[in-house]
Amino acid sequence: MTRQSDAVKWFTEARFGMFVHWGLYSIPAGVWRDEVVGGNMYSEWIQMKANAPHGVPAEEYRALAREFDPVRFDAEAWIREARRAGMKYFLITAKHHDGFALWPSKVSWFNVADATPFGRDILGELRRACRAHGVTLGFYYSHWQDWEHPGGARPKGPDDAPAFRQPSDEAFERYWEEKCLPQVRELMEAYEPAFFWFDNWRKDELLTPDRLDRLIGLIRATDARCLINSRIGTTWNHPDGDAAVDYRSMGDNSFPKERIAEPWETSGTMNRSWGYHRLDHGWKPTGQLLRHLVDNASRGGNYQLNVGPTADGHIPIPSIRRLREIGVWMDVNGEAIYGTEAGSVPEPEWGRVTEKRGPDGSRTLYLHVYDWQPGRPLELTGLPGRALSCDVLETGEAVEIQQDGETVAIALPDTCPDDRIAVLRLDVGS
Ligand code: JFZ
């Protein structure tokens, strides 16, 4: 179980955030020379995926920094899009596996201020925009994989390829003390993030309990309310498991089928790649993205939906389209997502249930109907009290209900307000 604290309340009430993957990898955007990064199409992995089995030579990859000049970057515009989509928080890859920092880090030359013609403090501009729009700011930080520092961990790969050679424990300790901890301290002190999203996904003896304790201790000592996720590696690499962290991160695009009591989230992509990939046209329909949001909320979790901006700093049109379509749905139905808990009734086949509890033991159940069939009454079992009234959230149209014991039958109106997910509001007395 994760740490129990009131610091995580804003997170669980927010339910929905924007994840941004943006950096040097956004320049090649999935194509190195004429080679397309295929497989899972993670364009942010191009340094290790292209020029197989050796990867892109480090100097060639670092030369991208001299091309990084995102003249269309507008932090205000990004944060306005997040707000418009109904997203309450925002996280960005402050430093991804390639080791490149999106802020003027004094710890490593490999950063936007010292290594690129752009030179601006990207995180500082986002910090100001988030404050201006009431969006909570957090950072993804690749604390384990760092392909720039000689002591950073490398992905598994061919033994004879230097790019995949794992550092010694001593080299990793130097990385930990010279780069990882000082950069996390810089981020905390300069931008006061409300949370971190660290990225480890398997057991690795380099992530010793002592190193994890030092990193967690640094964050707790600087801001005890700053949230830490389980993919810092405690799940696999600490004897106490996730007791010292604040929320669980599921695997990429991994959506649990069961309700989970502790705070948790799934991060997911709109297409396949996290970073912008110029050939990744596998865009998921907005209805599918909405189901991910509702599925997770109905099981007590958050959804962090990713955007991969282009190298010049704009958000691709297919992403904008989905964000704005989701935003309209959230304008109408946000009440059924924000501040809700997992439904306490058995999950119905026709959809999902989120709920809010009143101070007097009353409850409001939000019925997210995935399969609206006029004329076929919806049945909900396991009702925790007396069904008082039911209406269509979008229109306020009253809906007939009949209760028999713990089961209520709901007569669906002929007109379905939203054929992706339509929401009914059911008030239940104590
Ligand atoms: C990691 C990164 O490697 C990737 O580039 C992206 O940032 C993503 C959000 O996180 O990718 C993962 C992490 C975990 C698993 C798979 C890919 N996993 O748990 O199988």
Side-chain angles (χ1 to χ4, degrees), residues 19 21 42 44-45 96-97 140 197 199 201 231 251-252 267 274:
F19 202 157
H21 278 68
Y42 284 12
E44 68 281 3
W45 272 72
H96 202 263
H97 304 335
Y140 167 110
W197 201 94
D199 193 6
W201 55 84
R231 269 173 56 175
D252 296 12
S267 295
W274 297 89

